[in-house]
Amino acid sequence: MHTGMSTTEIFLIAMFVIFTLPYLIWRVGKTDYYAPLVVVQIITGILLGPGVLGAIYPDYYKFVFNPQVIQSLNGIAWWAVMIFVMIAGIELDLKKAWEYRRESTITAGLALGMPLLFGCVAGMGLLSMDGWMGAKALSWQFVLGVGMACAVTALPILILLMEKLDILRQPIGQRILRYASLDDIAIWGVLAVILLDWTRMGRQVGFLVVFAVATVLFRKLMVWLEERDRWYVGLIWLAACAFAADWAGLHYMVGAFLAGAVMDAHWFNQEKMDLMRHHVLLAIMPVFFLSTGLRTNWAVGGAAVFIVAAVLLVASVSGKLIGIQVAGKILKWEKGEASIIGWLLQTKALIMIIFVNILLDKSIITSETFTAMLLMAVASTMLTVPVVYPKLQKMKELIFRSK
C-alpha cells in the first residue's frame, strides 16, 4: 500500500511524526520540570532511530526513513544547527568575563578542566576495548574527544533552563553565563585542535588568514548597515564561513560558531534575538534532533552502550561538581553555592550533541560511542532542574549576588 506514495508524501509523514510525537509526550506527560520539550525531542529522535523503532518495526522504519527522506531531513538539520550555533556565538559575553576575569577564569577553568580530565581517563579505558574508537581517529583525538564531551556545557540550553528558573537576568544567571561563555570558546578551540588535518594544513591556515581579513571587513559593513539588513547579511556570512571551514577540513559547524563569535550582540535587538532562537528551536531544530536519533547504534550490545553511558555520566557529573567545589574554596563562596552553579553548568544537551555529531562525521568515534554520549547528554540535562530548584529555594539570597 506504500508503493504509490511519492518521496514528498513520505517526507511529510516523517515531518508529521517529528513534530507530533514529542509534543504529545511533553504536553500530555507534563515533563517540563525534568525534561523540557527540546530534551523530549532528543529522546524521541533516539526512539525513532534504528536501534528502537527500526528494530521493532523494520518495514515501517525503512518506509518512512528511506535514504531519500533522510537526505532531505539532513539538509534541513544542517541549516537549523548552523543558525543555532551562530546565535550561540553571538551571545557570548566576553566583556563581562573580562570585567570579572579572576573569578571567571578560575571557575570556568576548573569547570572545564576537571571533567575533561575525568573524561579523558574514561576515554583511555575505552581504548582497550573494540568498537568505540572511530576508524580515522588517532588515540589522542579519541581520548580528548571523549574528555571534552564530558566537559561540555550547553550554553543555549543553559539559557533556556535558567529562564524557567527565573534567574537568567538575575546576577547569579549572569555569573553562570560568564563561566559558560569562556568554556564555550575553549570547547570550540579544542575541537579545532582535534580536527587538525596535517594533509590539509595549508587549507586550514589559509582559511584562518582569510577569515581574519574578512572579519575586519565584515564588522565594518555590519556597523554601517541598519539592523534589519544585519539579520540578512548575517545569514549570508554564516553560509560563507560554514562553507569555508568545511572546505578547509575543520567542519561547517566550526565555521558557524566562528561566524557568530565575531558578531556583537548589541548589533541586534535582544528581544528579536530571543525570538529567533525560539523560532529556530520551534520550527526546524526538531528535524536535527530526529536526524541525530537516526544515527544511534547498539551494535556492540545495548547493555554495553548503557554501561559506557553511565561511566561517562559519572565522569562528567563528578568532574564538574568537584571542579566547581575547588573554585568555590578558592573564591570563598558560601556553603551550597558551588553545588548550585556546578549542577547548572552540567547542562549538556544540544552543544554536546552537536560536538559528538562532528566527531562521528569525522570518524573519530563510532556510532556506538555516539549513542553512549547521547544518552549521557540527555541524562545529565534531565538531572539539572530537579536538583537545582530545591537548592535555589533554600538559598534565595544567592540569586542576587554578582560575584
Side-chain angles (χ1 to χ4, degrees):
M1 64 176 177
H2 310 313
T3 54
M5 287 194 182
S6 66
T7 299
T8 302
E9 290 167 341
I10 300 172
F11 170 80
L12 292 173
I13 290 173
M15 292 294 282
F16 178 83
V17 172
I18 290 168
F19 282 91
T20 304
L21 192 56
Y23 177 77
L24 289 176
I25 294 171
W26 173 70
R27 179 56 70 197
V28 176
K30 298 179 180 178
T31 68
D32 213 30
Y33 180 67
Y34 54 90
L37 180 56
V38 290
V39 174
V40 176
Q41 288 167 335
I42 295 165
I43 296 171
T44 306
I46 297 172
L47 296 177
L48 292 174
V52 182
L53 179 66
I56 300 172
Y57 301 110
D59 291 339
Y60 277 92
Y61 177 80
K62 290 176 183 176
F63 161 63
V64 176
F65 300 112
N66 63 60
Q68 292 82 10
V69 170
I70 289 177
Q71 187 176 12
S72 301
L73 292 173
N74 282 343
I76 297 173
W78 294 338
W79 186 240
V81 78
M82 280 191 283
I83 295 174
F84 202 84
V85 169
M86 180 189 74
I87 293 172
I90 293 172
E91 292 184 327
L92 289 176
D93 190 358
L94 298 182
K95 290 181 180 177
K96 280 290 184 182
W98 177 251
E99 185 179 340
Y100 297 96
R101 51 190 173 275
R102 179 177 178 271
E103 173 221 355
S104 298
T105 304
I106 290 171
T107 307
L110 287 166
L112 187 76
M114 199 65 74
L116 173 62
L117 176 62
F118 285 24
C120 284
V121 171
M124 286 188 284
L126 291 176
L127 279 178
S128 62
M129 296 179 280
D130 293 332
W132 303 102
M133 188 170 79
K136 296 182 181 179
L138 298 173
S139 295
W140 72 267
Q141 290 175 311
F142 175 76
V143 170
L144 188 56
V146 173
M148 189 52 71
C150 291
V152 165
T153 294
L155 186 59
I157 293 298
L158 177 62
I159 290 171
L160 181 69
L161 294 183
M162 289 199 296
E163 281 179 339
K164 291 184 179 298
L165 293 167
D166 293 324
I167 62 172
L168 178 61
R169 304 302 174 193
Q170 300 297 338
I172 187 175
Q174 296 304 300
R175 285 173 61 195
I176 293 170
L177 283 183
R178 294 199 300 269
Y179 312 147
S181 294
L182 288 178
D183 283 350
D184 221 27
I185 293 174
I187 288 160
W188 290 99
V190 170
L191 180 62
V193 171
I194 292 172
L195 297 180
L196 277 178
D197 183 347
W198 293 104
T199 63
R200 291 190 179 187
M201 184 58 70
R203 281 191 180 190
Q204 291 174 347
V205 171
F207 162 72
L208 293 174
V209 171
V210 172
F211 176 76
V213 174
T215 294
V216 174
L217 300 174
F218 171 73
R219 287 180 59 83
K220 290 181 178 179
L221 174 63
M222 290 292 273
V223 170
W224 178 73
L225 290 172
E226 294 182 13
E227 186 190 355
R228 63 180 182 181
D229 293 314
R230 288 172 185 164
W231 292 99
Y232 201 91
V233 172
L235 293 175
I236 297 172
W237 172 248
L238 167 63
C241 291
F243 168 78
D246 209 66
W247 172 83
L250 291 172
H251 196 276
Y252 65 87
M253 283 194 262
V254 174
F257 175 76
L258 290 174
V262 299
M263 289 193 243
D264 292 346
H266 66 79
W267 289 347
F268 306 94
N269 179 280
Q270 183 62 55
E271 290 183 5
K272 289 181 180 178
M273 183 64 74
D274 291 342
L275 272 176
M276 185 173 182
R277 188 191 330 108
H278 169 77
H279 292 324
V280 170
L281 269 172
L282 174 70
I284 51 179
M285 278 299 282
V287 180
F288 171 71
F289 300 140
L290 185 278
S291 67
T292 296
L294 295 181
R295 307 179 80 178
T296 54
N297 198 318
W298 317 82
V300 297
V305 171
F306 278 101
I307 290 169
V308 170
V311 170
L312 295 177
L313 180 64
V314 170
S316 172
V317 172
S318 60
K320 189 76 73 175
L321 293 178
I322 291 171
I324 295 296
Q325 288 290 346
V326 173
K329 294 288 186 185
I330 295 171
L331 297 169
K332 297 181 172 56
W333 289 347
E334 291 183 19
K335 184 179 179 180
E337 189 172 351
S339 178
I340 290 173
I341 293 172
W343 276 105
L344 282 168
L345 289 174
Q346 185 56 52
T347 305
K348 291 198 179 307
L350 271 191
I351 294 300
M352 183 188 146
I353 291 170
I354 292 166
F355 182 84
V356 297
N357 263 285
I358 297 172
L359 298 183
L360 183 61
D361 283 343
K362 296 295 183 180
S363 296
I364 291 170
I365 60 174
T366 63
S367 52
E368 291 81 12
T369 312
F370 173 82
T371 304
M373 289 178 168
L374 194 60
L375 293 173
M376 183 264 277
V378 170
S380 65
T381 305
M382 289 179 67
L383 286 169
T384 302
V385 172
V387 172
V388 168
Y389 181 76
K391 292 177 180 289
L392 275 175
Q393 296 307 301
K394 293 178 181 177
M395 294 186 65
K396 288 189 176 180
E397 71 281 357
L398 171 63
I399 294 172
F400 304 102
R401 279 191 53 192
S402 60
K403 62 178 181 177

